[in-house]
Amino acid sequence: MAELLGKLTAAMGTYGPAVLFYGVAGLVLASAAYAVVAKKIDHSAFSLMACFTGVAALYAMLGSDFLAVTQVIVYVGGIMILIVFGVLLTDRLPVEYRQISRETVVQGLAVAVPVMAALVWAAAGTSWPVVAEAAAAAAPPAAGGTDPGTTAAIGKLLLTDYLFPFEFASVLLLVALVGAARMARGGAK
Amino acid sequence: MDIAGPFAPVLLETLSACGAGAVLLVDLFTPEARKSRVGAASLAVTAILFLAAWFGMEAGGETATLFGGSLVLDGMAVFLKRTFATAGLLAVLAAIRYEDRLPRGRGEFHFLLLSALTGMFLVSSVGDLMSMFVSLELVTLSFFILAAFRRERPESVEAGLKLLVLGSLAAAFVLFGTAFLYGATGDLTFAGLRDHLASLRGAPPSRDLLLGLLFVLLGLGFKIGMVPMQVWVPDVYQGAPAPVTAFLAVGSKAAGFALVLRLVTTVAGPGTKDSLQLLFTALAFATLFYGNLAAIPQTNVKRLLGYSSIGHCGYLLMGLAALGPASYYDESAAASGAAAILFYLLAYALTTFGAFLVVILFSAATGSDEMDDYAGLSRRSPLLAASLTVALLSLAGVPPLAGFFGKFMLMRSVALTGPAGFGLLVAGAVNVVIGLYYYLCLVKRMYVHPPKDASPLPVTGPTAALLYALTAALLILGIFPGAFVTLASDAARAAFGVGG
């Protein structure tokens, strides 16, 4: 029994990350698919939440701690609340709001299949560099063994190399604000 | 004259962003009865921008960069900024003639026109993919609100929503492509992309890089109305307020082509030119025939101009197809293609506003955009009919107007690539004939058909002056294109790295 457990643990150590990755990726795909085909809009919304959370987990597995946290705060925390509010406030719509016709499916496939084919073609023909090992070799973890994470590096880049797009995004937000005010106020005299 | 020194790359952007804010403030402090001041403030801003662009910037100066290469000012950027400044001035002039029909929110309307203009200025000089995305989204976001601005009209809301949904799809393509490009090169700057391709020494680039390029191009294809990303064009052109449609037709197309040109001049090289040439030839074929054939049965003027703008995108793509096959590869052919695109965009801006100004004035007087209502316009208002005729003939490419010379330059650049460009040349010529047919159908309605309602349409003094000025500009650009062609050629040659 102990021997079996030991083998299992060893196997988990080898295949653990792969099992975790395919599990989460499967969850993301399944919840994204359900968000599209669900008959009720609130089911779609909650399915989307599962999808966002799964994507955050994928980011974390890739070592992007900052991105994973941002994903949770912005998408799971912010955008999902907005969507749920939107669903709550549009209760005048019939709840079973959607009929997926054969035509929609055909049109969707006509776009999705070529894009998918292109992605597979590119993914199959590219030699994917393994970044984590190279980076670990180049910059060993600081003394004490703590991983410095990506937040500091992203912060530096935003205020140096990408200062312009970072700052200019505020103008974009101002325009969005004015636009939202205009759309909410409406065209009534 | 260079009035901004080292800050030349952000001169126009700063002025127009501050001007947009100023317009909002003027709107805030102006009583309801004097709202025409808002338009006057906006006009003043764009007039300053126009003067600064044409007389305050060096066209042939050194390439200047700011923000560590996020913004680049070269000859191509200066030429494009001048085109955008001209389009912005004309858009505000057109908007002032339209704004009586806006129930409220003139301040926001002009603010959004200026913010879109700011985005266009930036688009013409971005140096990395992040800045490109932010600037491009500034243009798209402003246009999405502008298109839906007349919320009381369902068509206007539909136009805005279509622009939003399909625009988001296009933005997703651009971002996805950007991620692939970053994965392939480890760099987000155009300079880094160029270095990466140069380091391949003529070997074909990896598949993920090609896929990234393709996705970014498809996303940009949305802005320029390229087949297969053209589905939004007719509905949005028809539903959006007419000054917005005109600005969208010119601004979105020119902004998209600014980036496509920037991308193509970056990646065009021995390893990529075959695929690029094949791709753009196919796209030009599809776009030309789709736009021009679908324009024939149209009955609404704005929709007709929408389909014809898809056709014009096809002509512009011919300039990119002039990259040439390997055996005939000649940097000067590629550069002449880029120069033709730059010149064509300027001519297209003036022509489109010439046509849309008449559409705005006509629908203000009659409340209609239907082609049948244009019957007998020559008897109701000879000036409107004549201005629209000149603009339509320029769009069709009839000498001696600006549109003719633009098409001539595009065809010439394709001809320079040798036998491989022959098919495209024939396609271009066939489409000129198709275009002439449907433009002349409208001209015939105006001059031959009897009017349903013979009441004359008065044109006020300043409006008449504007129409005369635009018509004169089309003639001048067509008869004396020399100075502008030189500017465009120098810019394109510098971008492709061809000496003198």
Side-chain angles (χ1 to χ4, degrees), chain A:
Chain A
M1 190 66 197
E3 191 188 350
L4 192 69
L5 209 64
K7 273 187 183 169
L8 206 65
T9 319
M12 275 299 284
T14 318
Y15 297 111
V19 169
L20 200 61
F21 171 77
Y22 285 110
V24 175
L27 178 81
V28 169
L29 286 179
S31 55
Y34 188 66
V36 175
V37 299
K39 283 263 188 290
K40 292 188 176 175
I41 196 165
D42 43 351
H43 291 184
S44 288
F46 282 104
S47 184
L48 202 58
M49 183 154 76
C51 176
F52 287 156
T53 317
V55 171
L58 288 182
Y59 289 155
M61 270 180 244
L62 287 169
S64 303
D65 49 356
F66 181 78
L67 204 54
V69 173
T70 314
Q71 168 84 7
V72 171
I73 294 175
V74 173
Y75 281 90
V76 184
I79 296 197
M80 270 321 298
I81 300 290
L82 274 181
I83 291 180
V84 171
F85 260 104
V87 171
L88 285 177
L89 294 176
T90 49
D91 59 353
R92 280 173 298 169
L93 291 176
V95 179
E96 298 220 3
Y97 67 108
R98 191 176 346 204
Q99 293 141 351
I100 297 177
S101 63
R102 186 180 297 269
E103 203 185 341
T104 319
V105 173
V106 171
Q107 288 169 347
L109 283 178
V111 178
V113 169
V115 172
M116 186 68 202
L119 284 173
V120 169
W121 172 78
T126 304
S127 61
W128 298 94
V130 180
V131 179
E133 286 162 18
T146 53
D147 183 4
T150 57
T151 314
I154 289 178
K156 263 187 200 140
L157 279 177
L158 278 185
L159 290 177
T160 53
D161 287 5
Y162 299 107
L163 178 67
F164 172 73
F166 175 65
E167 294 290 346
F168 202 77
S170 56
V171 177
L172 195 64
L173 290 178
L174 175 67
V175 172
L177 209 62
V178 171
R182 165 70 201 176
M183 286 296 114
R185 202 171 58 182
K189 292 200 179 196

Side-chain angles (χ1 to χ4, degrees), chain B residues 112-387:
Chain B
L112 290 166
L113 284 179
L114 289 173
S115 70
L117 186 59
T118 312
M120 290 172 201
F121 284 143
L122 281 171
V123 157
S124 45
S125 60
V126 291
D128 67 58
L129 292 160
M130 270 344 274
S131 311
M132 169 181 115
F133 183 72
V134 175
S135 324
L136 201 58
E137 284 315 290
L138 185 63
V139 179
T140 314
L141 186 68
S142 309
F143 272 127
F144 143 59
I145 306 160
L146 282 171
F149 208 83
R150 296 193 67 190
R151 252 192 52 167
E152 70 281 4
R153 289 173 59 233
E155 315 92 81
S156 180
V157 177
E158 185 193 334
L161 200 63
K162 280 213 165 119
L163 203 52
L164 172 72
V165 173
L166 292 168
S168 311
L169 185 70
F173 268 107
V174 171
L175 271 187
F176 212 47
T178 304
F180 270 93
L181 286 180
Y182 182 71
T185 63
D187 201 336
L188 281 172
T189 60
F190 289 131
L193 188 58
R194 188 192 310 251
D195 291 346
H196 174 83
L197 285 165
S199 73
L200 296 176
R201 296 173 197 286
S206 62
R207 284 184 184 178
D208 52 346
L209 193 145
L210 288 178
L211 189 76
L213 274 181
L214 186 67
F215 274 24
V216 173
L217 277 177
L218 280 178
L220 296 176
F222 169 85
K223 313 287 172 208
I224 60 181
M226 172 183 87
V227 172
M229 307 294 279
Q230 86 297 349
V231 282
W232 60 280
V233 171
D235 292 336
V236 174
Y237 275 42
Q238 187 179 358
V244 176
T245 307
F247 198 30
L248 181 71
V250 173
S252 183
K253 199 174 294 283
F257 266 102
L259 291 172
V260 173
L261 268 181
R262 183 76 60 191
L263 205 60
V264 168
T265 53
T266 305
V267 301
T272 50
K273 62 189 186 235
D274 285 342
S275 6
L276 282 175
Q277 202 246 352
L278 193 66
L279 178 73
F280 284 119
T281 304
L283 290 173
F285 258 107
T287 311
L288 272 171
F289 279 104
Y290 179 91
N292 285 314
L293 289 177
I296 293 175
Q298 300 307 321
T299 58
N300 180 296
V301 174
K302 281 158 91 182
R303 218 174 161 77
L304 174 87
L305 290 171
Y307 278 108
S308 96
S309 102
I310 300 176
H312 286 286
C313 171
Y315 293 118
L316 285 159
L317 286 169
M318 287 172 67
L320 294 171
L323 290 167
S327 52
Y328 282 89
Y329 190 67
D330 175 9
E331 261 96 4
S332 68
S336 80
I341 291 175
L342 291 175
F343 181 86
Y344 197 93
L345 285 173
L346 181 64
Y348 183 72
L350 292 169
T351 313
T352 303
F353 274 103
F356 268 100
L357 202 62
V358 177
V359 172
I360 292 169
L361 296 169
F362 184 80
S363 83
T366 65
S368 165
D369 291 325
E370 292 303 313
M371 282 167 69
D372 287 337
D373 292 330
Y374 279 70
L377 186 63
S378 64
R379 267 161 271 174
R380 300 177 69 186
S381 170
L383 175 60
L384 286 183
S387 309

